[in-house]
């Protein structure tokens, strides 16, 4: 197959790179290099803008990310080796990155395409909770809460808390069973919704290669679904993730790489996060030879990616990549707010406006309540994202910035209060798969506020 | 009191400053006067380190600065405070407690765990960091070997959480329930889960983990 030479090269580098201590990699190589690049390229956060509108700054971030990627590389935790590609190799491979990918089948097939900042082309929207833990009995209702809206291009499921009532334990038969149970429940939901060709991102529950591989064998997830391959923070992989990469490349599956740098960690503040997020997606491409590349910089205490600093840093990373490569970038909305709160809707609206105007190919929505509180996610959480994406194509960064200056103050002071809201069964009727009148009322209220700000959401009737 | 506060601020600034040697030199100089080592430790060193931790809790500083400050504080403790306490025959405890920390088996995430480790260190704990993907039995053996007060377990992934339960079961099964308290933490860990598996406490984040560990030390044996 065409990509095999690169794949074999990836596996070779995993076994032959420089041996070093993991702590040295982060502390003595990654951290100082980021600090140096922030100074060298003059990356500075003033707080005046929430979405970057400076093309030259975005280009400098991209150049700094190329430097960082080529100097630092990726640390393989399984072999304690550093996998490094030269700047020339990275630039050559970036030029060969796919700029379009097909997902789904039949009536639900769609294309994801590379975009540029201020682009009129369509940004895809994935709806789902992207791994928030959920019990088995709520798995199908939760997926239906997204599928039934018919507004999302693809979906993503939760992580199962149990399989057939049993806890799922990493690296054991339980993990394999969990992956199969997940695939089974997804297919049940697609069948009920009458959307058999809807692409699903999977395997959600794959801490080792056991789940990642077993879930995509015959009878499980399909090749037209998308296959998650994350990179661990910061810039780390391991042999399990490389095994999944190898398998998905061999079955011709669509790969969705994911990397979330930690704000306040080795990258420091917003400037370092901008560089690291861009470098992480570039290196994800080197590692996975994948299709879409998703980031979600994470606040260490709020769990969100919607603070002004993180919106700015994410916009810079996405714009730098969009302006200088054909990578299909994606961004995961990670609000601190949860279902049943106004906070989550403001946060998701702000994040969508940032992603849409910054040239992102795909928005994933949403990692509600920080993405980790069991059962805290619902279909209505993400609807605001899809409505904005579908009604505001061609949104300029300047316009988005003006809107964010109105929206961000409406939630900013709530972020440190852990506004996790309510669990799925408290905001949805699990029989009818409809939001409760209270949750729908809150949604309508925020939507009306956004319409008053000039967002053309009144065109959606439901 | 005003002198203590002035010194706390001065030490904190040096711990976070550009010169890696300055805080150690300052500690030696300060202790060369009338100030007793016990006074220095209780009223300057410990509050200054707590203030560094607070700064990270507000993200006024970031992880690299916190790591540097922890290293510099360790140097002051090893090279100045401990030798002087020994020489003075003092029975002053300069370590608030000993804790073995690990990301449990199946989990390779370490940034959150590392933040907790550093926050514990700057708050006076002796921390034995076992790293990531650590089997429950290894954690227990290490706790026995170093005579730990607390075992801290981290898991970002739901699929690794059963190994926390296994660690609690091993501790209890081998008769060490009264020897080591177990605190758990990680994105999906809740108070309910903590109670369900029989752990003693859980930390919501790195700042909270320090408070909970201090409470565990103060709690009933």
């Amino acid at each position: 197959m065409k990509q095999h030479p690169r794949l074999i090269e990836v596996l070779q580098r995993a076994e032959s790179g420089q041996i070093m201590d993991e702590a040295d990699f982060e502390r003595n190589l990654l951290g100082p290099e980021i600090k140096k690049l922030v100074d060298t390229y003059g990356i500075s956060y003033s707080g005046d803008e929430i979405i970057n509108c400076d093309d030259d700054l975005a280009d400098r971030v991209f150049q700094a990310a190329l430097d960082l990627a080529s100097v630092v590389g990726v640390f393989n935790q399984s072999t304690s080796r550093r996998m490094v590609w030269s700047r020339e190799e990275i630039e050559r491979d970036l030029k060969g990155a796919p700029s379009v990918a097909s997902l789904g089948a039949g009536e639900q097939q769609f294309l994801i395409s590379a975009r540029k900042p201020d682009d009129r082309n369509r940004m895809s929207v994935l709806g789902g909770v992207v791994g928030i833990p959920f019990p088995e009995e709520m798995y199908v209702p939760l997926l239906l809460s997204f599928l039934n809206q018919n507004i999302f291009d693809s979906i993503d499921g939760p992580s199962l808390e149990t399989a057939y009532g049993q806890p799922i334990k990493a690296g054991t038969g339980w993990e394999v069973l969990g992956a199969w149970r997940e695939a089974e429940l997804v297919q049940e939901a697609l069948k009920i919704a009458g959307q058999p060709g809807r692409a699903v991102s999977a395997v959600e529950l794959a801490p080792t290669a056991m789940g990642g591989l077993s879930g995509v064998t015959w009878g499980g997830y399909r090749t037209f679904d998308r296959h998650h391959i994350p990179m661990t923070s910061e810039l780390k992989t391991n042999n399990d993730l490389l095994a999944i990469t190898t398998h998905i490349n061999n079955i011709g599956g669509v790969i969705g790489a994911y990397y979330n740098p930690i704000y306040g960690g080795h990258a420091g503040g917003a400037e370092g996060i901008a560089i690291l997020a861009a470098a992480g997606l570039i290196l994800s491409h080197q590692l996975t030879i994948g299709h879409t590349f998703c980031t979600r910089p994470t606040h260490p205490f709020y769990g969100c990616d919607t603070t002004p600093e993180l919106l700015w840093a994410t916009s810079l990373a996405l714009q730098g990549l969009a302006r200088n490569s054909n990578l299909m970038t994606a961004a995961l909305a990670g609000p601190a707010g949860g279902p049943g709160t106004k906070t989550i809707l403001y946060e998701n609206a702000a994040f969508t406006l940032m992603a849409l105007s910054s040239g992102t190919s795909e928005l994933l929505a949403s990692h509600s309540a920080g993405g980790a509180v069991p059962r805290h996610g619902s279909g209505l959480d993400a609807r605001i994202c899809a409505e904005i994406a579908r009604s505001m194509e061609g949104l300029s960064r300047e316009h988005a910035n003006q809107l964010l200056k109105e929206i961000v103050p409406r939630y900013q002071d709530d972020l440190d209060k852990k506004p996790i809201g309510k669990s799925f069964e408290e905001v949805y009727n699990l029989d009818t798969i409809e939001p409760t009148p209270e949750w729908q009322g809150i949604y309508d209220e925020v939507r009306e506020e956004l319409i008053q700000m000039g967002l053309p959401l009144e065109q959606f009737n439901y | 009191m005003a002198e203590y506060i002035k010194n706390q601020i001065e030490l904190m600034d040096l711990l976070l400053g550009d010169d890696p040697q300055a805080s150690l030199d300052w500690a030696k100089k300060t202790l060369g006067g009338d100030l007793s080592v016990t006074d220095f430790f209780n009223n300057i060193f410990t509050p200054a380190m707590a203030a560094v931790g607070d700064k990270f809790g507000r993200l006024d500083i970031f992880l690299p600065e916190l790591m540097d400050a922890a290293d510099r504080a360790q140097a002051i403790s090893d090279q100045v405070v401990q030798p002087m306490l020994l020489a003075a025959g003092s029975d002053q405890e300069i370590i608030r407690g000993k804790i073995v920390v690990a990301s449990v088996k199946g989990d390779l995430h370490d940034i959150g765990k590392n933040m907790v480790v550093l926050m514990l260190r700057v708050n006076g704990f002796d921390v034995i960091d076992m790293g990531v993907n650590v089997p429950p039995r290894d954690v227990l053996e290490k706790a026995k070997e170093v005579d730990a007060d607390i075992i801290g377990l981290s898991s970002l992934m739901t699929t690794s959480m059963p190994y926390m339960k296994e660690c609690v079961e091993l501790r209890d099964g081998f008769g060490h329930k009264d020897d080591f308290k177990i605190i758990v933490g990680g994105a999906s860990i809740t108070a309910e889960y903590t109670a369900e598996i029989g752990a003693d406490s859980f930390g919501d984040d790195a700042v909270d983990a320090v408070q909970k560990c201090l409470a565990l030390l103060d709690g009933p044996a």
Side-chain angles (χ1 to χ4, degrees):
Chain A
M1 291 169 88
K2 189 181 164 192
Q3 289 180 330
H4 267 197
R6 270 188 65 197
L7 179 62
I8 287 167
E9 189 191 320
V10 168
L11 296 176
Q12 284 172 337
R13 286 178 202 229
E15 305 284 344
S16 60
Q18 177 201 359
I19 290 176
M20 72 185 303
D21 187 69
E22 188 169 340
D24 274 344
F25 174 79
E26 287 180 324
R27 186 169 183 190
N28 299 325
L29 182 62
L30 177 68
E33 188 64 26
I34 291 173
K35 204 168 183 178
K36 188 180 92 183
L37 290 168
V38 167
D39 289 341
T40 303
Y41 285 94
I43 315 298
S44 174
Y45 173 64
S46 68
D48 295 339
E49 288 181 334
I50 301 173
I51 296 174
N52 172 63
C53 297
D54 179 345
D55 285 343
D56 185 61
L57 181 58
D59 293 346
R60 296 203 305 274
V61 164
F62 177 74
Q63 292 301 322
L66 282 177
D67 282 358
L68 183 67
S70 57
V71 169
V72 172
V74 177
F75 186 81
N76 181 358
Q77 294 172 295
S78 303
T79 58
S80 294
R81 288 182 186 272
R82 193 159 63 91
M83 304 166 68
V84 184
W85 292 264
S86 70
R87 211 175 196 277
E88 291 70 31
E89 287 173 320
I90 291 171
E91 287 181 299
R92 177 201 66 199
D93 292 340
L94 269 181
K95 282 181 185 151
S99 58
V100 65
S102 170
L103 279 163
E107 289 178 18
Q108 287 88 41
Q109 185 183 13
F110 72 102
L111 297 177
I112 295 181
S113 310
R115 296 175 70 246
K116 301 292 175 196
D118 313 324
D119 202 328
R120 297 203 67 80
N121 290 322
R122 192 174 188 278
M123 177 177 75
S124 298
V125 181
L126 171 147
V129 298
V130 197
I132 295 172
F134 265 74
E136 282 174 271
E137 69 274 15
M138 286 186 204
Y139 204 97
V140 170
L142 179 79
L143 288 184
L144 289 174
S145 77
F146 288 93
L147 286 164
N148 288 355
Q149 295 184 62
N150 256 318
I151 197 169
F152 303 109
D153 299 299
S154 64
I155 63 164
D156 191 307
S159 286
L160 276 172
E161 289 179 348
T162 56
Y164 304 105
Q166 302 299 314
I168 300 166
K169 206 170 183 179
T172 69
W174 296 112
E175 182 183 334
V176 175
L177 196 66
W180 275 107
R181 181 67 171 143
E182 181 185 312
E184 180 182 73
L185 290 169
V186 162
Q187 287 173 22
E188 186 183 329
L190 294 177
K191 191 175 174 188
I192 294 170
Q195 301 173 29
R198 183 71 66 197
V200 182
S201 290
V203 175
E204 213 37 78
L205 200 73
T208 76
M210 286 188 185
L213 300 183
S214 56
V216 293
T217 45
W218 187 85
Y221 285 104
R222 301 94 25 116
T223 49
F224 61 75
D225 289 321
R226 180 174 21 201
H227 307 276
H228 287 303
I229 303 182
M231 187 157 63
T232 309
S233 305
E234 303 294 358
L235 303 184
K236 295 176 197 170
T237 189
N238 58 65
N239 285 348
D240 282 279
L241 294 171
L242 293 170
I244 297 171
T245 300
T246 306
H247 183 65
I248 304 303
N249 268 282
N250 273 283
I251 64 171
V254 176
I255 289 174
Y258 173 81
Y259 173 59
N260 67 317
I262 310 296
Y263 180 72
H266 295 286
E271 299 89 347
I273 286 290
I275 297 171
L276 183 56
L281 298 193
I282 289 169
L283 285 167
S284 292
H285 176 249
Q286 292 304 122
L287 264 185
T288 66
I289 322 166
H291 300 83
T292 61
F293 300 90
C294 181
T295 192
R296 184 226 191 276
T298 303
H299 192 284
F301 302 125
Y302 308 159
C304 70
D305 56 10
T306 55
T307 64
E309 299 87 351
L310 284 174
L311 288 168
W312 178 84
T314 310
S315 76
L316 254 181
L318 294 171
Q319 289 173 30
L321 291 166
R323 283 178 49 79
N324 294 280
S325 79
N326 281 327
L327 274 193
M328 289 183 281
T329 59
L332 169 56
T341 67
K342 280 187 162 187
T343 312
I344 185 177
L345 301 173
Y346 295 136
E347 289 179 270
N348 278 352
F351 194 88
T352 305
L353 292 164
M354 179 280 295
L356 183 65
S357 61
S358 293
T360 314
S361 295
E362 184 183 34
L363 177 72
L364 283 62
S366 71
H367 233 191
S368 307
V373 184
R375 294 178 284 121
H376 279 61
S378 83
L380 198 58
D381 304 2
R383 184 177 180 91
I384 201 76
C385 306
E387 290 193 5
I388 291 170
R390 290 290 75 84
S391 63
M392 299 189 76
E393 281 150 3
L395 176 71
S396 72
R397 285 169 286 174
E398 286 78 9
H399 186 192
N401 217 8
Q402 288 165 11
L403 292 170
L404 258 64
K405 285 178 180 173
E406 284 196 66
I407 297 170
V408 171
R410 298 186 188 215
Y411 69 77
Q412 197 175 351
D413 291 342
D414 293 332
L415 295 178
D416 64 351
K417 298 182 176 65
K418 297 199 183 298
I420 62 170
K422 297 180 175 178
S423 56
F424 179 54
E425 74 274 22
E426 292 175 305
V427 294
Y428 259 72
N429 179 322
L430 300 193
D431 295 322
T432 62
I433 318 293
E434 293 288 337
T436 59
E438 184 192 14
W439 182 207
Q440 185 66 57
I442 291 168
Y443 183 90
D444 291 343
E445 206 176 309
V446 171
R447 189 170 177 270
E448 186 55 37
E449 288 178 43
L450 296 173
I451 289 170
Q452 294 303 316
M453 289 179 206
L455 280 77
L457 306 180
E458 64 276 2
Q459 62 188 273
F460 293 97
N461 295 313
Y462 57 91
Chain B
M1 181 58 82
E3 190 64 18
Y4 286 145
I5 291 171
K6 177 180 158 285
N7 281 326
Q8 288 166 19
I9 293 168
E10 204 167 333
L11 176 56
M12 185 186 71
D13 288 345
L14 292 172
L15 289 168
L16 296 171
D18 293 332
D19 183 351
Q21 182 66 26
S23 53
L24 184 62
D25 292 343
W26 182 89
K28 286 176 180 168
K29 189 176 136 201
T30 304
L31 275 164
D34 296 335
L35 189 69
S36 78
V37 66
T38 311
D39 247 4
F40 174 81
F41 182 76
N42 290 335
N43 298 313
I44 299 171
F45 182 79
T46 302
M49 288 308 294
V52 170
D54 289 346
K55 271 184 172 285
F56 180 70
R58 295 190 302 269
L59 289 178
D60 294 339
I61 59 169
F62 299 127
L63 191 60
E65 290 81 26
L66 183 68
M67 293 169 99
D68 286 347
D71 282 354
R72 293 173 191 183
Q74 189 70 49
I76 293 173
S77 174
D78 292 347
Q79 296 177 41
V80 184
V81 176
Q82 291 196 54
M84 289 182 80
L85 282 172
L86 273 176
S90 167
D91 58 359
Q92 162 90 37
E93 283 285 340
I94 66 164
I95 292 169
R96 292 167 111 164
K98 192 177 279 187
I99 178 166
V100 169
V101 175
S103 288
V104 293
K105 188 171 166 60
D107 197 332
L108 294 166
H109 296 87
D110 69 354
I111 288 193
K113 185 261 302 168
N114 290 346
M115 287 180 181
V116 172
V117 166
L118 284 166
M119 288 294 276
L120 287 167
R121 282 191 177 139
V122 299
N123 280 281
F125 281 83
D126 181 10
V127 186
I128 296 93
D129 181 2
M130 295 186 72
V132 299
N133 196 24
V134 186
R137 184 67 191 264
D138 291 2
V139 177
L140 188 66
E141 292 304 320
K142 179 58 77 177
K144 283 159 62 181
E145 177 192 324
V146 302
D147 192 21
D149 300 299
I150 301 171
I151 292 172
L153 302 174
S154 167
S155 173
L156 195 67
M157 309 182 77
T158 53
T159 44
S160 290
M161 287 160 58
Y163 290 107
M164 292 177 159
K165 180 169 180 275
E166 193 172 312
C167 195
V168 174
E169 288 170 349
L170 283 172
R171 176 197 66 171
D172 298 354
F174 282 113
H176 294 293
K177 189 172 172 55
D178 296 333
D179 299 333
F180 319 118
K181 302 288 185 191
I182 293 184
I183 180 170
V184 294
S188 298
I189 308 297
T190 60
E192 291 74 27
Y193 180 76
T194 305
E196 185 187 316
I197 66 170
D200 301 293
S201 187
F202 95 103
D204 210 20
D205 55 39
V207 177
D208 188 47
V210 172
Q211 297 309 315
K212 297 287 176 57
C213 284
L214 289 170
L216 283 177
L217 291 179
D218 292 340

